Amino acid sequence: MAVTKKKAAPKKSNTVKLKFDTSWNYAPAPESKSAATIHKQYDLFINGEWQKPSGKKYFDTINPATEEKLSEVAMANEADTNKAVTAARNAYEKVWKKMPAKERGKYIFRIARMIQEKARELAVIETLDGGKPIRESRDFDVPTAANHFFYYAGWADKLEYAFPNRQASPLGVAGQIIPWNFPLLMAAWKIAPALATGNTVVLKPAETTPLTALKLAEIIQEADLPPGVVNILTGAGETGASIVNHPGIDKIAFTGSTEVGKLIQRAIAGTNKKATLELGGKAANIIFEDAPIDQAVEGVINGIFFNQGHVCCAGSRLYVQESIAKQVIRKLKDRIETLIVGDPIDKNTDIGAINSKQQLDTIHKYLNIGKKEGAEMYESSCPLPRKGYFCRPTIFTNVAQSSRIAQEEIFGPVLAVLTFRTDDEVIEKANNSPYGLSAGVWTDKGSKIFNMTKRMRAGVVWANTFNKFDPSSPFGGYKESGFGREGGLHGLMPYINLTHQS
Amino acid sequence: MATAKSLLTVPDFALSPRIDQVGVEERAARFTTRSIKKESKLNGLKLVLNMIDLTTLEGKDTDGKVKQLCYKAIHPHDAVPGIPTVAAVCVYPSMVKVAKKALGDSGIRVASVATAFPSGQAPRDVKIRDTRYAVNEGADEIDMVISRGKFHAGEYNFVFDEIAAIKEASGEARLKVILETGELGSFDKVRRASEIAMYAGADFIKTSTGKIQPAATMPVTLVMLEAIRDFYYKTGRMVGMKPAGGISKSKLALHYLVMVKEVLGEDWLNNEWFRFGASSLANDVLMQIVKEHTGLYQSGNYFSVD
Amino acid sequence: MSKTSVHTTSLHTNGNGTGTTETKRLEVLKTYKIYIGGQFPRTESGRYYIPVNNEGKKLANVCLSSRKDFRNAVVAARAAFGGWSGRAAFNRSQILYRMAEMLEGRRMQFIDELMQQDASRAAAEKEVDLAVDRLIYYAGWCDKYQQLFSSVNPVASSHFNFSVPEPTGVVSIIAPQQDSLLGLISVISPVIAGGNTCVVLASESKPLCAVTFAEVLNSSDLPGGVVNILTGKPSELASWFVDHMDVNATIYCEKDTDIQRMMREKSALNLKRVFFYDQTDWTAAESQSPYFIFDTQEIKTTWHPVENIAGAGGGY
């Protein structure tokens, strides 16, 4: 077997096409599940111990990639919420707020370390329960969650340096409700700053993805955190509502849909509860003709297909300058051909399972809307597994600004591509949204970057990159994407009262 | 030149696309997360072996050394059946005749470096004579170096014309153009040099001489693969890629293979269009192949060094 | 609020003397209008009310602003937002300082109006002095709070990452009912120092200074529309102040818990940021701080890759 001589006569460039269906392929590479222990049943984590739900009800949590049951978890009702809030209140008054800040910090450090020690297990469980690719839970969710605890642990005894001329004091008991797209990471985003600032916590993970939060409860128990400082209640929307409405809660931190965020804002009217809301988005990702195109294309791909597009800051609206639109669209189409859709536990999978049947239905609804609106739909040619909830990476071109697929949050692997001509035009279109969570801009020209990043009304702006996160970097939205920041020094603010220093 | 028609519109190379380094590195790192196991690994390893330009480019090269290398090229590891040969043997022009004879009708190509390799600091007529000499000695492939000094001085026409002249001097031999990326200083310049080489007629673009650090890296190879892809889309002409220097482990070579598969696809996944310039990579690949066959981790003692 | 009544009888003139003798010069009365987009229109509704002081003296025919006046004011505030927020912070500082100069120049007029509205001379003088000083205070903050609330964030990847405050947009404000000048200036100043524009409803019972302050604004290089001042009843307008979809934040300075509840409920319509400054003693030293500016700021975080050819660290 020596050199295989092939004819290399140039073909007409408008007919050439790269072939990604190659003869050399990747064998299945499933991550071993042996590192992970999932119990058959989980109770509620209240006051440092596992307590049976008052209503004696449990519900199933399934693997969305196989539709098989993984475990069953307790359904918390109002009585359970009451118990958890009471435990959190006691822990706050009697232990946590009195504890020297540096000791508080050490507990949080300890949790961070234990997450690292159990990283593989957490990653496997996250992937089984939520459907995200193991590559992401292993390389992103779990390490970033640990890092978040590390970051805020260090703040615990340094708060007097954070806010000049002000004394920071904790709020009390924080009720925290988190979504299904980054179950462990969102728990970390919520719990770490709350604990560092001296608050205690009642946290409710999402109905479809409770397992890593329960694993975190085990870690918290193992870390010997005083009972009641963190309580974890599993359940559905009603459990969340019972937390929001509980009079013993001082603060609500919610990440989820704008619709529910608004309900919460209404529900806490007339109370002294503070709130931070991290809600929906419809981020504009803008590519100018002078951009580093291949990196921009990769940024667009990561921007919309990361975590199946179940990302509030996903770059779901792509604005391409008309002069390079054809080129960019061709590159995008090539790139999605190389995305591997399939078993999330396989280490080579790029796009895992859609989190739930319900979400898959929502995505399909929008695919139909997009087609009806006359946009051109292009899907990857990849095969889909027969069982489980899967969706091909999809690109809509010829999309109008007024299309619903360009305005509404789909929360799936669906990209709407629009074109523009001038800077002013694209700024206007990018800001033409009730959302304002994130945005992206790609150009090689420094002064243009600053013009664009300044004028885009969004809480996080990525220039020549996209979907980057770091514990030290504040995250949160403008407008209907919510208020308050998580991460960084600014992420302390939602959990403290500031009083004038005497 | 067969490609003359497609070269009618030569772009302004100063306007070559800009490259964001951090983005390239992230993308390159992503390829390394692909898990290559079992039959996929075995097939990949064989493919890698078959893409190697087994290389010796030393002042102390002798007929004896080159002959041994050629034997190794044809018989990498006869103890295990079904192991492919390498793609080519790469030597200095003075060793071409020896290599050609030693390789006989094995089908393995002889590649010769030329053009005052590795510095390229010689007048054009010397480079042309160097090239013609290698071709006349029987070289199937010419690995030339670009004039990096002229490139940095912004004399892109000079660099372009020189490559075109060497291409002409190479005749039927396929021309690999070494950019010596370790001397170019940025990915923007790697991209620009890649385009100059391709528009000037290169059949392959190649990262490095192996004499300068850094030699081939995944990010720089990615930049060049993407330049090849864009050139292909613009002109319809395929150009090959050869990372050289610094790739000595099978695992890394498989990462490169992943990169070729996912950037250029099937048409480039063969030794007609992709090569590894390496000397010690072959034995590491062989050890891995034998490990896959036997299930035992191997020792270098069981594999011939040359 | 209880001190107002609607009359059609003639108005008392101000405290400089009443025209009883025919030989005495007839005083020219001032028309108190609202201030929208740098203009002084009357309310589109044609309605008015007459606030009365503790002595039963009718203060003026004051515009009873309507929902439409508010809408017009929001349009003006939105139109002014781009220019005002885009100005150099230093320039905003200059303009706030100019406002203080103009206020100082009209010191006697404000003292007089405050006294008409039941303040003692000493209290009125103190309030005007504090109001001038408060403007100076926030004029100084215009180009400093950014440094206080910004951060460069040491992210672990090869990116430069920084967070800066940006104005939230159009802010609707229901000003304090007492401290009708000082309270008004104390809530407006941090909002506009931070680059926002606003629509503010003056004290219902003591509206005179707010309208006169509009004249100060109009002669202070402050672009039209940055501050829009309405007069009227909070009980009537509060809900419009918080349900307008093009308003980004609302500040309410009274303790009425029904209104507070209504405001938080309605703020959910477009997730307005709502603030209740109902515990603040505007004469106290603590009633001024950059944290008031921070309330109507959004934090924007920007990322950009840092090239790393030579292998040096990426972050800062």
Side-chain angles (χ1 to χ4, degrees):
Chain A
M1 190 161 37
V3 175
T4 45
K5 184 73 184 169
K6 286 192 181 175
K7 263 275 185 213
K11 301 166 188 172
K12 276 194 177 156
S13 57
N14 57 0
T15 62
V16 300
K17 190 152 175 41
L18 299 173
K19 304 182 196 78
F20 293 106
D21 185 12
T22 57
S23 47
W24 179 60
N25 286 303
Y26 311 137
E31 177 61 82
S32 163
K33 295 174 195 168
S34 63
T37 309
I38 299 176
H39 302 309
K40 284 207 163 120
Q41 193 184 68
Y42 285 91
D43 291 324
L44 304 169
F45 185 67
I46 298 173
N47 207 26
E49 53 196 27
W50 297 94
Q51 302 194 11
K52 297 267 174 224
S54 314
K56 299 191 174 63
K57 277 190 195 154
Y58 292 83
F59 62 98
D60 293 348
T61 184
I62 65 155
N63 178 347
T66 60
E67 301 173 50
E68 284 159 10
K69 176 175 166 180
L70 289 168
S71 177
E72 54 184 38
V73 300
M75 177 72 80
N77 64 14
E78 263 187 59
D80 299 313
T81 300
N82 205 26
K83 270 202 263 181
V85 173
T86 307
R89 174 65 55 195
N90 281 335
Y92 173 70
E93 300 288 351
K94 293 176 187 154
V95 184
W96 199 242
K97 86 171 175 188
K98 292 183 184 164
M99 186 181 288
K102 77 173 162 74
E103 299 301 314
R104 230 166 51 214
K106 279 155 68 182
Y107 275 111
I108 306 168
F109 276 123
R110 196 185 263 191
I111 295 169
R113 262 288 184 260
M114 286 185 177
I115 291 174
Q116 288 182 324
E117 286 166 4
K118 298 178 188 230
R120 182 68 61 90
E121 179 177 25
L122 286 161
V124 169
I125 297 176
E126 196 74 304
T127 285
L128 291 175
D129 202 19
K132 68 173 60 202
I134 186 74
R135 183 181 58 77
E136 288 178 8
S137 46
R138 177 196 67 203
D139 297 347
F140 176 72
D141 291 66
V142 176
T144 314
N147 294 354
H148 215 82
F149 278 104
F150 269 114
Y151 177 81
Y152 278 107
W155 266 122
D157 59 352
K158 300 170 189 69
L159 297 174
E160 64 266 37
Y161 299 98
F163 305 102
N165 203 32
R166 284 291 182 279
Q167 180 86 41
S169 53
L171 302 175
V173 178
Q176 307 183 320
I177 298 165
I178 58 172
W180 45 260
N181 56 347
F182 296 95
L184 179 69
L185 183 59
M186 288 302 108
W189 277 29
K190 295 283 179 286
I191 295 173
L195 298 191
T197 47
N199 300 276
T200 59
V201 163
V202 176
L203 176 124
K204 188 192 92 69
E207 189 179 356
T208 58
T209 55
L211 293 183
T212 44
L214 293 165
K215 199 75 200 168
L216 183 62
E218 290 177 12
I219 287 171
I220 283 166
Q221 206 173 22
E222 192 183 329
D224 245 347
L225 198 71
V229 172
V230 173
N231 305 274
I232 293 182
L233 298 180
T234 45
E238 285 146 38
T239 314
S242 74
I243 295 172
V244 170
N245 294 322
H246 197 286
I249 295 278
D250 300 295
K251 191 234 159 50
I252 297 291
F254 172 77
T255 298
S257 69
T258 292
E259 188 189 352
V260 176
K262 289 179 175 181
L263 289 177
I264 291 175
Q265 175 78 345
R266 285 193 187 98
I268 60 174
T271 72
N272 287 325
K273 289 173 193 170
K274 290 199 172 189
T276 39
L277 304 173
E278 298 283 2
L279 309 175
K282 189 80 189 176
N285 203 353
I286 302 169
I287 308 183
F288 285 95
E289 59 186 5
D290 69 339
I293 304 270
D294 286 313
Q295 291 75 56
V297 165
E298 193 58 24
V300 170
I301 293 289
N302 287 329
I304 186 63
F305 299 124
F306 176 55
N307 200 31
Q308 295 74 246
H310 302 329
V311 185
C312 47
C313 54
S316 48
R317 281 188 293 157
L318 175 64
Y319 289 94
V320 188
Q321 203 152 25
E322 261 186 48
S323 54
I324 54 162
K326 268 189 190 158
Q327 185 190 358
V328 167
I329 289 167
R330 174 153 76 175
K331 282 170 188 274
L332 284 170
K333 288 178 175 176
D334 275 348
R335 182 67 180 91
I336 65 172
E337 283 300 316
T338 62
L339 290 170
I340 300 173
V341 183
D343 186 1
I345 204 74
D346 190 304
K347 286 180 264 190
N348 288 325
T349 294
D350 295 311
I351 298 185
I354 300 303
N355 186 264
S356 64
K357 173 90 173 46
Q358 192 192 0
Q359 187 57 30
L360 186 61
D361 291 344
T362 304
I363 295 167
H364 284 153
K365 181 188 86 181
Y366 277 106
L367 294 183
N368 286 327
I369 290 172
K371 281 186 274 189
K372 268 187 207 148
E373 285 175 331
E376 251 172 72
M377 185 169 119
Y378 182 86
E379 284 182 308
S380 153
S381 64
C382 65
L384 295 185
R386 270 177 306 166
K387 274 205 109 177
Y389 315 132
F390 290 91
C391 179
R392 289 188 183 87
T394 304
I395 296 173
F396 278 105
T397 56
N398 284 329
V399 179
Q401 178 80 4
S402 55
S403 304
R404 283 182 69 190
I405 54 167
Q407 293 189 326
E408 297 173 20
E409 186 177 39
I410 301 174
F411 226 61
V414 183
L415 178 69
V417 184
L418 301 93
T419 58
F420 71 95
R421 295 151 299 169
T422 67
D423 301 13
D424 284 342
E425 176 191 1
V426 75
I427 273 287
E428 193 184 356
K429 285 180 168 173
N431 286 337
N432 179 212
S433 164
Y435 295 115
L437 186 52
S438 64
V441 58
W442 301 81
T443 165
D444 203 45
K445 191 173 180 185
S447 57
K448 184 179 291 199
I449 289 173
F450 284 112
N451 180 34
M452 300 304 288
T453 56
K454 190 174 177 204
R455 287 168 68 192
M456 285 200 275
R457 303 287 292 161
V460 183
V461 183
W462 289 290
N464 291 325
T465 185
F466 206 92
N467 264 355
K468 291 278 174 276
F469 307 90
D470 192 278
S472 69
S473 175
F475 182 94
Y478 284 29
K479 300 192 277 187
E480 291 200 21
S481 291
F483 43 74
R485 292 293 176 268
E486 295 184 292
L489 184 153
H490 299 87
L492 295 166
M493 260 186 168
Y495 289 99
I496 51 172
N497 272 322
L498 290 178
T499 45
H500 203 264
Q501 270 183 344
S502 44
Chain B
M1 269 192 296
T3 54
K5 263 191 181 166
S6 61
L7 300 184
L8 281 176
T9 50
V10 173
D12 179 349
F13 297 112
L15 300 177
S16 294
R18 296 304 193 262
I19 309 292
D20 181 72
Q21 186 213 355
V22 176
V24 169
E25 285 173 351
E26 282 173 3
R27 178 71 182 120
R30 175 85 179 262
F31 296 117
T32 69
T33 66
R34 291 289 189 221
S35 178
I36 310 299
K37 300 286 180 216
K38 304 193 182 89
E39 72 273 16
S40 167
K41 183 171 179 184
L42 192 57
N43 293 339
L45 290 169
K46 287 181 178 172
L47 197 49
V48 168
L49 189 62
N50 192 229
M51 288 171 163
I52 290 175
D53 282 5
L54 203 59
T55 302
T56 183
L57 293 168
E58 293 174 356
K60 63 179 191 285
D61 284 346
T62 58
D63 290 6
K65 159 82 186 181
V66 171
K67 281 179 190 166
Q68 286 192 43
L69 193 75
C70 290
Y71 188 83
K72 173 86 175 176
I74 309 169
H75 308 278
H77 194 70
D78 286 348
V80 175
I83 289 186
T85 68
V86 300
V89 166
C90 182
V91 294
Y92 271 114
S94 54
M95 292 294 155
V96 168
K97 191 169 265 175
V98 178
K100 192 72 189 169
K101 196 173 165 214
L103 292 170
D105 58 1
S106 64
I108 299 172
R109 306 297 174 89
V110 175
S112 172
V113 297
T115 68
F117 180 94
S119 74
Q121 295 285 18
R124 185 168 299 170
D125 60 326
V126 172
K127 292 182 177 182
I128 290 172
R129 286 203 332 258
D130 195 15
T131 306
R132 286 201 179 125
Y133 172 78
V135 171
N136 289 338
E137 292 283 286
D140 303 297
E141 300 171 355
I142 297 295
D143 288 25
M144 72 167 288
V145 290
I146 65 165
S147 295
R148 283 88 76 190
K150 294 289 185 185
F151 177 79
H152 279 302
E155 297 183 34
Y156 304 135
N157 288 344
F158 180 96
V159 177
F160 182 96
D161 292 346
E162 186 173 78
I163 296 168
I166 301 298
K167 170 70 184 170
E168 201 179 348
S170 301
E172 287 294 300
R174 294 180 82 201
L175 179 65
K176 306 198 195 95
V177 178
I178 302 171
L179 310 181
E180 195 65 301
T181 54
E183 287 188 347
L184 297 188
S186 75
F187 289 149
D188 293 328
K189 288 196 166 181
V190 170
R191 170 78 191 210
R192 189 176 301 166
S194 300
E195 295 195 350
I196 293 172
M198 291 187 293
Y199 278 97
D203 297 302
F204 261 83
I205 51 177
K206 176 177 170 184
T207 58
S208 319
T209 60
K211 307 295 183 192
I212 293 286
Q213 288 301 319
T217 63
M218 287 190 66
V220 87
T221 305
L222 174 59
V223 170
M224 292 167 73
L225 290 172
E226 288 176 339
I228 289 171
R229 181 199 52 199
D230 292 350
F231 181 77
Y232 178 59
Y233 272 138
K234 274 206 186 95
T235 67
R237 188 162 79 82
M238 288 174 74
V239 173
M241 174 70 206
K242 178 178 173 184
I247 307 166
S248 58
K249 296 292 176 208
S250 320
K251 192 172 181 184
L252 181 56
L254 287 173
H255 292 329
Y256 275 82
L257 220 51
V258 165
M259 187 157 64
V260 176
K261 170 180 159 66
E262 298 197 16
V263 175
L264 292 171
E266 175 71 5
D267 290 344
W268 271 263
L269 271 177
N270 54 66
N271 65 11
E272 183 75 5
W273 296 108
F274 193 80
R275 296 281 180 84
F276 289 102
S279 45
S280 60
L281 173 63
N283 263 3
D284 193 67
V285 171
L286 288 168
M287 285 167 71
Q288 291 300 320
I289 290 175
V290 175
K291 187 253 155 188
E292 288 299 304
H293 276 290
T294 62
L296 303 171
Y297 290 109
Q298 296 297 303
S299 155
N301 287 345
Y302 300 87
F303 299 84
S304 65
V305 289
D306 268 342
Chain C
M1 271 184 269
S2 56
K3 290 278 186 274
T4 61
S5 61
V6 178
H7 282 269
T8 52
T9 50
S10 66
L11 292 164
H12 289 268
T13 54
N14 66 32
N16 289 338
T18 49
T20 47
T21 349
E22 271 180 29
T23 53
K24 250 200 161 175
R25 178 178 169 275
L26 181 69
E27 189 188 12
V28 179
L29 293 177
K30 172 171 168 177
T31 310
Y32 285 88
K33 297 201 282 191
I34 56 179
Y35 185 55
I36 297 176
Q39 307 289 319
F40 289 92
R42 288 198 176 83
T43 165
E44 63 76 39
S45 68
R47 304 178 306 165
Y48 66 96
Y49 73 104
I50 303 173
V52 177
N53 70 11
N54 285 344
E55 290 157 13
K57 193 168 80 177
K58 296 164 192 163
L59 296 175
N61 291 319
V62 175
C63 290
L64 186 60
S65 300
S66 68
R67 184 186 186 183
K68 277 190 183 169
D69 293 320
F70 176 68
R71 178 202 62 187
N72 294 341
V74 170
V75 170
R78 177 58 66 191
F81 176 66
W84 182 242
S85 61
R87 267 177 200 246
F90 178 77
N91 183 248
R92 288 206 301 268
S93 176
Q94 296 269 296
I95 291 172
L96 260 77
Y97 188 82
R98 181 73 178 154
M99 284 160 54
E101 286 179 345
M102 294 291 107
L103 184 60
E104 180 84 40
R106 295 210 196 193
R107 191 167 178 275
M108 291 315 296
Q109 186 181 358
F110 281 99
I111 290 171
D112 179 66
E113 283 180 348
L114 286 168
M115 286 169 67
Q116 284 185 62
Q117 297 172 124
D118 305 321
S120 69
R121 174 165 291 279
E125 283 175 350
K126 188 184 163 202
E127 182 166 351
V128 176
D129 292 349
L130 275 174
V132 173
D133 290 356
R134 190 136 301 165
L135 273 171
I136 302 280
Y137 177 82
Y138 284 108
W141 269 120
C142 286
D143 52 3
K144 296 170 191 66
Y145 70 89
Q146 298 87 341
Q147 289 170 314
L148 198 66
F149 298 125
S150 293
S151 59
V152 171
N153 310 310
V155 297
S157 52
S158 189
H159 293 89
F160 182 62
N161 175 295
F162 60 97
S163 299
V164 292
E166 285 188 347
T168 195
V170 173
V171 183
S172 65
I173 304 170
I174 296 184
Q177 292 301 307
Q178 299 306 314
D179 304 315
S180 65
L181 176 65
L182 177 61
L184 179 86
I185 285 172
S186 297
V187 286
I188 290 176
S189 303
V191 167
I192 63 170
N196 299 283
T197 58
C198 65
V199 180
V200 59
L201 180 63
S203 166
E204 180 183 352
S205 58
K206 304 173 192 295
L208 302 188
C209 293
V211 179
T212 307
F213 183 62
E215 293 157 14
V216 167
L217 298 179
N218 199 41
S219 54
S220 317
D221 306 327
L222 186 77
V226 174
V227 174
N228 304 276
I229 300 179
L230 305 181
T231 50
K233 296 174 184 297
S235 56
E236 181 191 342
L237 293 172
S239 76
W240 314 133
F241 267 54
V242 80
D243 77 0
H244 196 300
M245 297 297 275
D246 205 27
V247 171
N248 301 92
T250 298
I251 295 171
Y252 177 62
C253 302
E254 293 300 308
K255 291 185 176 129
D256 187 323
T257 51
D258 289 341
I259 288 184
Q260 288 190 356
R261 168 193 282 271
M262 176 278 293
M263 284 189 149
R264 275 187 90 173
E265 271 173 10
K266 287 205 166 184
S267 73
L269 284 167
N270 66 342
L271 293 168
K272 262 178 211 75
R273 290 78 171 117
V274 181
F275 304 93
F276 301 140
Y277 298 157
D278 55 356
Q279 308 285 333
T280 314
D281 171 6
W282 297 109
T283 61
E286 303 89 77
S287 67
Q288 57 181 22
S289 94
Y291 294 95
F292 282 106
I293 301 176
F294 187 77
D295 280 345
T296 47
Q297 298 291 305
E298 304 286 335
I299 293 295
K300 174 184 276 180
T301 299
T302 305
W303 294 70
H304 195 278
V306 177
E307 211 171 64
N308 190 13
I309 290 283
Y316 275 78

